[in-house]
Amino acid sequence: MKKIILTAAIVLPLAVQAQQGPFTITGNIGKLNSPAMAYIDYMSNGVSKEDSAVVINGKFSFSGKCEDYAHARLALSHDGSGKMKAVYTGDVIYFYYGKEQVKITSADSLSNAKITGSKTYNEFQAYNKFIGGTIMDLNKWANGQVAGATPEQRKDTNFMNNLNIEYRRRMKARADKQLDFAKANPKAYFGMVALSEGTGSPVDVKKVEPIYNAMSAALRNSDQGREMGQRITAAKTIRVGAPAPKFVQKDVNDKTVQLDDVKGKYVLLEFWASWCGPCRAENPNLTGQYKKYKEKGFEIIAVSLDDHKDKWIEAIAKDGLPWMHVSDLKGWNNEVGRLYGIRAVPANFLLDENRNIIAVNLRGEELNKKLTEVFGN
């Protein structure tokens, strides 16, 4: 791989400090009025927060405290139809900012907005330029290819397969550039961002660990740095034949649950969330297998990556899930999820009576066959 030489335009800050300060985000998007709403979700040093604001004559604002770097998702509901619709099918942007006065302006939408007043955002843009754009940019390209195809092409398996191959090639090229960026910027905040995003799953420890170890102590001790370290450790230690890491977390009634509470049983440690469609789709199968083998010594401990308790409890009730449930309601920063290196759900680990991992990520018929092997018909 050729050595990458960075220009001064993308040399980023040398240290990450851990001192909170105020920020403001003001928007001016056309002439939108009620019932239009703006919604923000942001994370700073591993702590997630959310807020909403009414849009009046195109204007809205948010304020709060964050550390030197915060990552935000800002969604705009033009017709007042709610946050989730705005996030998944509407007008949404993702960006970084700091203890700054950020201004977002556009004649019509967030997607066409200009962001000013943020040095952090400028650094983010420089990073994106180096790696070839954001995931949103890549998805926009793929959707454009599909939209621009003829009806015959959309029905052509070869055409769609080739498009998928090209999409994955671009994803890999982007990830490779992210690792190059991380190598070249061992003291920069976006160097750690690049390493975290470019590493993917499963973690290639031989490739990733040297880059991580070369990063500054300040970055490795940041929340994102610690999370990256946990992913590397999990990749090295959590595997079939190894003991499952012990953990403690609270259930829906705020009672403490430990992995060791379940003794002498096979345990499926299931990572899921109420908002995860594939997780919910697997629940009927899990329910059937639990009913079939519970009396033979089968237990499920479900770790939720939710951050809203009401939605978590509602999903448990609606899907009729009778097993053990725990969560710290920290979303992707769930402590058990981080301990096990979870970067996507659904995910699971099947443990034997001695808490050793005997299988990983079994779903549907694969899980059913393994349980039949363990318990018999």
Side-chain angles (χ1 to χ4, degrees), residues 16 127 181-182 185-199 211-212 215-216 218-226 228-229:
V16 178
Y127 159 62
F181 190 92
N185 291 271
K187 296 180 180 180
Y189 174 81
F190 285 103
M192 185 62 78
V193 171
L195 182 62
S196 179
E197 292 182 354
T199 292
I211 302 174
Y212 177 78
M215 294 194 141
S216 70
L219 282 173
R220 285 185 278 111
N221 289 327
S222 69
D223 182 74
Q224 190 164 36
R226 292 193 301 271
M228 189 68 238

Side-chain angles (χ1 to χ4, degrees), residues 256-328:
T256 299
V257 173
Q258 302 182 54
L259 180 60
D260 283 347
D261 288 343
V262 184
K263 300 183 183 298
K265 293 185 178 183
Y266 282 78
V267 175
L268 184 69
L269 185 58
E270 179 78 10
F271 292 88
W272 76 300
S274 67
W275 43 259
C276 170
C279 303
R280 303 288 293 271
E282 177 69 6
N283 280 339
N285 182 60
L286 290 182
T287 303
Q289 296 301 301
Y290 185 71
K291 182 178 180 180
K292 186 175 182 179
Y293 295 116
K294 180 182 178 181
E295 299 304 321
K296 292 187 176 183
F298 179 51
E299 188 54 75
I300 298 176
I301 300 179
V303 182
S304 170
L305 272 60
D306 275 280
D307 52 13
H308 289 83
K309 188 171 184 178
D310 56 342
K311 294 179 180 178
W312 174 39
I313 294 175
E314 180 183 354
I316 294 171
K318 186 173 182 178
D319 291 4
L321 310 180
W323 45 79
M324 303 171 69
H325 293 272
V326 298
S327 181
D328 58 13

